[in-house]
């Protein structure tokens, strides 16, 4: 009996991500959920600008590549064109979603747009070589904060789930991570719920996945997973920030 | 008995599977190099594998298939 294999919703192509980058795990979880819900044939994904710009190469469902940060706006159009049949998700990094695309993110959430958003927070602009992101931690060394992020000069990181939870619009907001077997299992549950909510017509569902960028953090893949526990999670606590149907509000 | 199959040429030698294995029976091959130029993951003790799939769950590149 097969207990684990590549999900059908991912194709055979080898992904371009750096060794040990958790983008790959998150792609797989989205694909596993598509398989389990039987929605591969009617799902349309919207890829961002960032390291996952070529996500369209790896998923077996239809994919669109949006201009930087505009994935929720593109997803809105695709969803509204055929709300009964289209299942629509965006896959976005923190630079894409919380910097250049913040307006699209906030308004899609405020409208309770019936889409699923997979938000990969690795506290850095990975693709462009490791510049400071809106989510980089206070004191974090990046290419553009070589002495560490100085909050007096650059301000404070944006906590996307906490911020969006102040809106009446969104249905579901949860922050998870993928730095251990247990965490990956939990992340999958959240992603599945975010897709199921869309199928049930419940509205805007965002899963923030605290992810690693070993290359630009200057760490080995193993050290990067530890760094998530030691540095990222204290600043970005895991949990459900909104689950309207369940009556939960953090 | 558990059976593991590796798509060796997709392995990036990141070692996340090695750390995830509760039985400590995975290693990055000290002598093999795959098409990508990495030392690929391999099993050191087939009989000790319990087929828990922890390695496969942590692999970002879907290299490992687990059967039981
Ligand atoms: C309009 C525009 N501005 C800036 C860029 C440069 N750029 C490319 S990717 C990126 C940010 C990527 O960071 P993130 O979204 O966090 O994704 P990651 O690579 O970390 O997964 C930026 C600023 C661009 N491609 N287009
Ligand atoms: S630069 Fe960072 S986020 Fe991008 S693929 Fe490499 S490790 Fe992953
Ligand atoms: S299936 Fe479990 S025991 Fe076997 S190699 Fe993988 S992690 Fe180790
Ligand atoms: S986790 Fe996957 S890519 Fe990394 S060493 Fe193990 S098999 Fe290779
Ligand atoms: Mg990023």
């Amino acid at each position: 009996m097969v207990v684990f294999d590549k999900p059908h919703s991912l194709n055979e192509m080898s992904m371009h991500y750096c060794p040990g980058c958790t983008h790959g795990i998150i792609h797989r979880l989205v694909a596993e959920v598509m398989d389990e819900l039987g929605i591969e044939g009617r799902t349309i994904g919207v890829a961002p600008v960032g390291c996952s710009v070529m996500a369209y190469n790896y998923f077996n469902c239809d994919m669109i590549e949006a201009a930087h940060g505009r994935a929720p706006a593109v997803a809105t159009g695709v969803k509204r064109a055929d709300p009964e049949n289209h299942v629509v998700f965006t896959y976005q990094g923190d630079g894409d979603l919380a910097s250049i695309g913040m307006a699209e993110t906030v308004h899609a959430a405020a409208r309770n747009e019936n889409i699923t958003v997979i938000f990969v927070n690795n506290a850095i602009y990975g693709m462009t070589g490791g510049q400071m992101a809106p989510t980089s931690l206070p004191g974090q060394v990046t290419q553009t904060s070589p002495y560490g992020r100085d909050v007096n000069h650059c301000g404070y990181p944006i906590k996307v789930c906490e911020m969006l939870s102040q809106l009446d619009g969104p249905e579901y907001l949860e922050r998870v991570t993928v730095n251990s077997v247990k965490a990956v299992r939990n992340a999958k549950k959240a992603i599945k719920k975010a897709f199921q909510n869309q199928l049930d017509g419940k509205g805007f569902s965002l899963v923030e996945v605290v992810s690693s960028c070993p290359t630009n953090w200057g760490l080995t893949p193993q050290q990067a997973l530890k760094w998530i526990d030691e540095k990222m999670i204290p600043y970005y606590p895991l949990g459900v920030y909104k689950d309207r149907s369940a009556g939960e509000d953090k | 008995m558990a059976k593991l199959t590796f798509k060796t040429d997709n392995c990036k030698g990141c070692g996340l599977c090695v750390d995830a294995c509760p039985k400590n029976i995975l290693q990055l091959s000290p002598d093999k190099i795959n098409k990508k130029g990495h030392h690929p993951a391999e099993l050191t003790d087939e009989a000790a594998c319990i087929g828990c799939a922890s390695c496969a769950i942590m692999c970002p590149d879907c290299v490992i298939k687990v059967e039981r």
Side-chain angles (χ1 to χ4, degrees):
Chain A
M1 185 185 69
V2 176
V3 273
F4 189 99
D5 200 4
K6 179 193 78 61
H8 185 270
S9 296
L10 276 187
N11 61 30
E12 294 292 336
M13 261 183 86
S14 172
M15 292 190 263
H16 70 283
Y17 301 108
C18 305
C21 172
T22 46
H23 263 304
I25 297 180
I26 303 165
H27 278 38
R28 192 190 75 228
L29 295 182
V30 170
E32 285 177 0
V33 166
M34 275 196 256
D35 281 11
E36 286 173 21
L37 296 175
I39 54 172
E40 184 195 308
R42 62 189 183 108
T43 297
I44 301 161
V46 187
V49 172
C51 280
S52 45
V53 65
M54 292 187 287
Y56 52 76
N57 278 334
Y58 309 131
F59 289 104
N60 266 332
C61 63
D62 283 339
M63 295 289 292
I64 296 175
E65 163 57 33
H68 205 359
R70 309 318 182 216
V74 173
T76 297
V78 176
K79 183 66 188 179
R80 289 190 180 202
D82 191 352
E84 294 307 312
N85 291 310
H86 291 172
V87 180
V88 186
F89 75 93
T90 72
Y91 186 103
Q92 303 174 260
D94 44 339
D96 190 83
L97 180 142
S99 192
I100 192 168
M102 185 57 106
E104 282 73 11
T105 305
V106 171
H107 287 285
R111 295 192 305 269
N112 197 29
E113 207 61 55
N114 193 23
I115 58 172
T116 301
V117 175
I118 309 300
F119 167 38
V120 180
N121 179 4
N122 57 10
I124 204 137
Y125 289 2
M127 181 200 197
T128 43
Q131 295 81 2
M132 186 175 63
T135 42
S136 296
L137 297 172
Q140 186 179 336
V141 172
T142 71
Q143 289 293 322
T144 46
S145 57
Y147 306 111
R149 180 180 186 146
D150 175 1
V151 294
N152 295 314
H153 181 243
C154 312
Y156 287 86
I158 296 175
K159 299 180 177 183
V160 169
C161 282
E162 286 85 335
M163 186 189 70
L164 294 180
S165 72
Q166 299 307 304
L167 296 170
D168 293 333
E171 163 67 22
Y172 170 60
L173 306 164
E174 179 163 359
R175 186 182 289 124
V176 298
T177 187
V178 287
N179 69 343
S180 68
V181 172
K182 197 173 157 211
V184 170
R185 289 212 167 96
N186 195 48
K188 181 169 166 187
K189 269 191 215 140
I191 291 171
K192 193 163 184 182
K193 186 176 165 86
F195 275 89
Q196 187 63 53
N197 283 348
Q198 185 180 157
L199 296 176
D200 296 343
K202 287 181 176 168
F204 188 89
S205 297
L206 177 148
V207 180
E208 174 174 345
V209 187
V210 177
S211 187
S212 72
C213 178
T215 299
N216 289 299
W217 292 355
L219 301 172
T220 66
Q222 292 80 355
Q223 289 167 335
L225 297 190
K226 278 207 190 88
W227 201 82
I228 287 178
D229 269 338
E230 288 164 8
K231 307 282 183 183
M232 292 286 280
I233 304 306
Y235 203 88
Y236 295 112
L238 305 181
V240 177
Y241 285 83
K242 202 177 195 90
D243 188 354
R244 197 178 23 215
S245 301
E248 262 184 62
D249 235 325
K250 220 181 195 177
Chain B
M1 214 193 88
K3 181 173 167 251
L4 261 54
T5 318
F6 294 79
K7 277 188 202 140
T8 303
D9 279 327
N10 282 7
C11 177
K12 295 175 184 163
C14 70
L16 293 187
C17 57
V18 176
D19 277 25
C21 176
K23 294 285 169 191
N24 276 314
I25 49 170
L26 287 166
Q27 67 174 10
L28 299 181
S29 171
D31 46 4
K32 286 187 206 107
I33 292 181
N34 70 6
K35 275 189 189 155
K36 286 185 191 292
H38 297 294
H39 292 283
E42 64 185 19
L43 207 49
T44 56
D45 184 355
E46 237 171 279
C49 175
I50 54 172
C52 66
S54 296
C55 51
I57 288 168
M58 288 312 292
C59 175
D61 289 278
C62 293
V63 170
I64 308 169
K65 177 177 173 182
V66 185
E67 287 164 286
R68 213 161 34 199

